Every structure is written in C-alpha cells, then in structure tokens.
Amino acid sequence: MIKLSDVSLIFGEGTPDRVEALNNISFQLNHGDFVTVIGSNGAGKSSLFNAVSGLYPPTSGVISKNKVDITRWPEYKRAAFIGRVFQDPLMGTAGNMSVQDNLTIASYKGMKKLKISLNKQKKNEFRELLSQLEMGLEDRISDNVGQLSGGQRQALTMLMMVLSSPDLVLLDEHTAALDPRNAEKVLELTSRFYSNYKLTVMMVTHNMKMALDFGNRLIMMDRGEIILEAEGKEKSRLTVDELVKRFHDIRGMSLTNDETLLS
Ligand SMILES: Nc1ncnc2c1ncn2[C@@H]1O[C@H](COP(=O)(O)OP(=O)(O)OP(=O)(O)O)[C@@H](O)[C@H]1O
Ligand SMILES: [Mg+2]
C-alpha cells in the first residue's frame, strides 16, 4: 500500500551538523500490516514517520501509495489518509474544546467512509463510541478535554484517529508518557481498534518486548537504516535476547548501553 524506494532524509547538508536521518530506506507496507519499529535514540524512527507523513519530504527517493507517487505531496494532503498519534497526550486533541466537539471534528474528516450522522443521534453515537474506551468518558461528553487525564486523552486521540478512517496509522511511542496502567489500556485499545477497524499500523516503541508481542512484522532501525526485519512466524519466534544478539552481530557492538530499549 505504501512503498518507500531508496528514501534518504538529510538535515544540515553542507554543514558540520549534517545528519543522515534516513539512509536509503526501501520498505513496503501492505494493507493490514501491523509493523513494530524499534531502535535506539536517534536511529531514525520518527524521521521515517515524518517522511511518510510529509512533514519532511525526503532528500531523495520515492514514496508511493497504491502506485501513486506521493513523494512531494504536502503534509495536509497526506493527512487525509494518515492518522498519527504522538507520545505527548496533549497533541492529538484540542484541550479547550469539549469531548463532543473534538469527536465532531474527527467525524467530519472520516464522514464519507464511516457515514457518521450529523443529527440528534450524534450524541448517542458518540456516547456509544466512547464507551468502547471503557474509561467512563461517555458520561463526560460535555467536559473540556483539558480536564481529562493523560491516559483518557490519549484514548480519545485514538478514537478520533479511528473516526477519520485512516488508511495508515502511525503511532510514535504513543504510550511512553503514560503510567503503566493507562499505557496498558491504550495498548489494548490499539490492538482492538486494529482488529475491529481493519487498520494498517506502524508503531514505534522503545520496548522490545512490546515490539515482539504486537504486530505481524518488526523492523529495527539504526543510524538511519533498517538493519533487521522479521515477519510472521519468524517474528513470533524471536526473543528479546535474540534481538540483542542480532543487533550485536550486525553492528558489531553491544546494545547494553540502551536501557530503555532493553526495558
Ligand atoms: N528537524 C530536524 N533537524 C535536524 N536534525 C534532525 C531533525 N529531525 C531529526 N533529526 C536528526 O535525525 C536523527 C534521527 O532522529 P529521529 O528523531 O528520527 O530519531 P528517533 O529514532 O525517533 O529517536 P528517539 O527514539 O529519540 O525518538 C537524529 O540524529 C536527529 O538529531
Ligand atoms: Mg522519535
């Protein structure tokens, strides 16, 4: 569905601060894939998402969607089919607006596909959708989103993202800022939405175990490159120890200094 061919993303070209955030990445994402993305700080994980979402168009290479070249499409045009959730729970929702108004905006975006009605029924529909989150938000539909906890807000962001019927969902450490209980809830929601709404997902995590437990494919990035890929049975057989060993074999150095990645 999404294909990257020899994509590079260079910052600070011609300066001493030159960084190759992405180095000749080629990667194909199929409809229904759930790809977990791991790698140390600065490996290029967010840059990969930035290139796909159009925030930073690649320096070279081609990005296509269903064989249409979208390399130079601006971010707003891609936002029509990409849902992105960031680490910061404040980013995906408008804090000074009510739960209902936030959902209304999200449903406009996806209206064509989901046929969300805009009549009196809407409130009930939203209540029903919110009850899926199992956080009691169905009773707080008129509250300002700013009054919600980080976990509730991130769950609402996930729901809004799903309402916009994205073809591709990019989750960039979307549970990293939450306490363990809320992180688990949002992760459970991620799995449920993936199955129920037949999403295509890429999820960055610093937690190797999480990367192994979720999804059908895994990629490991380092210094702007995809250094390891596993999918299907091969992925399900992988262990954290095996991943660490493979990193060592590929890079000739140890991962032991990366505590978060090993957590
Ligand atoms: N806008 C930018 N300007 C300059 N350099 C950048 C920019 N964005 C990313 N980089 C650099 O590109 C490299 C890859 O960064 P990126 O944010 O993709 O890493 P990451 O794998 O997401 O790391 P983290 O786990 O810390 O989030 C880093 O060296 C970073 O400093
Ligand atoms: Mg990042």
Side-chain angles (χ1 to χ4, degrees):
M1 191 238 292
I2 299 278
K3 193 172 170 194
L4 282 77
S5 311
D6 294 321
V7 168
S8 291
L9 177 62
I10 297 167
F11 292 107
E13 183 65 271
T15 74
D17 297 327
R18 182 181 190 277
V19 180
E20 211 153 350
L22 298 177
N23 182 6
N24 269 312
I25 299 257
S26 292
F27 179 72
Q28 186 166 328
L29 189 67
N30 303 312
H31 185 76
D33 271 343
F34 188 146
V35 184
T36 54
V37 185
I38 53 172
S40 310
N41 292 118
K45 306 178 297 293
S46 298
S47 296
L48 178 64
F49 283 11
N50 288 337
V52 170
S53 66
L55 180 64
Y56 296 123
T59 312
S60 59
V62 176
I63 301 176
S64 57
K65 177 179 183 273
N66 298 331
K67 301 201 172 129
V68 176
D69 186 341
I70 61 164
T71 317
R72 300 292 144 200
W73 280 26
E75 192 181 17
Y76 76 86
K77 204 167 162 190
R78 299 190 208 191
F81 62 84
I82 295 177
R84 199 167 175 186
V85 182
F86 295 89
Q87 185 170 339
D88 183 351
L90 308 185
M91 276 183 78
T93 44
N96 57 353
M97 284 166 55
S98 67
V99 171
Q100 180 177 3
D101 288 347
N102 270 276
L103 286 172
T104 304
I105 289 171
S107 64
Y108 273 124
K109 200 178 156 197
M111 201 164 46
K112 265 186 257 151
K113 289 183 197 168
L114 274 185
K115 295 195 179 69
I116 298 278
S117 55
L118 291 171
N119 53 29
K120 274 187 257 164
Q121 295 252 306
K122 194 170 64 171
K123 224 173 190 160
N124 288 336
E125 259 176 75
F126 285 163
R127 280 211 180 91
E128 212 173 298
L129 286 166
L130 285 163
S131 67
Q132 289 183 60
L133 306 180
E134 295 169 356
M135 287 181 161
L137 292 185
E138 59 276 22
D139 301 322
R140 301 185 61 181
I141 197 156
S142 305
D143 282 5
N144 262 7
V145 165
Q147 294 164 14
L148 306 182
S149 74
Q152 289 169 333
R153 220 162 145 165
Q154 201 68 323
L156 180 63
T157 303
M158 291 290 292
L159 181 61
M160 287 170 59
M161 186 268 296
V162 159
L163 279 185
S164 72
S165 309
D167 293 331
L168 172 62
V169 174
L170 301 176
L171 308 172
D172 198 344
E173 298 190 64
H174 70 311
T175 63
L178 306 177
D179 64 74
R181 212 182 104 255
N182 276 314
E184 198 172 317
K185 271 202 131 172
V186 171
L187 270 177
E188 188 273 322
L189 204 61
T190 306
S191 270
R192 198 146 38 93
F193 281 177
Y194 166 70
S195 310
N196 291 355
Y197 295 96
K198 304 199 176 1
L199 303 174
T200 304
V201 177
M202 290 187 86
M203 178 175 84
V204 169
T205 171
H206 263 283
N207 184 311
M208 284 218 202
K209 190 170 176 315
M210 195 158 122
L212 292 173
D213 288 348
F214 286 80
N216 63 318
R217 294 173 70 183
L218 173 146
I219 59 176
M220 186 192 262
M221 295 188 68
D222 188 53
R223 290 182 238 158
E225 293 174 15
I226 296 176
I227 59 165
L228 188 149
E229 286 193 67
E231 65 176 284
K233 281 203 180 108
E234 190 199 354
K235 176 179 180 295
S236 55
R237 276 199 295 264
L238 270 177
T239 61
V240 171
D241 286 347
E242 175 73 15
L243 273 179
V244 173
K245 186 179 170 303
R246 288 228 208 153
F247 181 86
H248 184 266
D249 291 347
I250 295 163
R251 281 302 190 212
M253 55 192 225
S254 171
L255 256 183
T256 47
N257 60 351
D258 194 332
E259 285 172 22
T260 43
L261 196 51
L262 293 169
S263 63

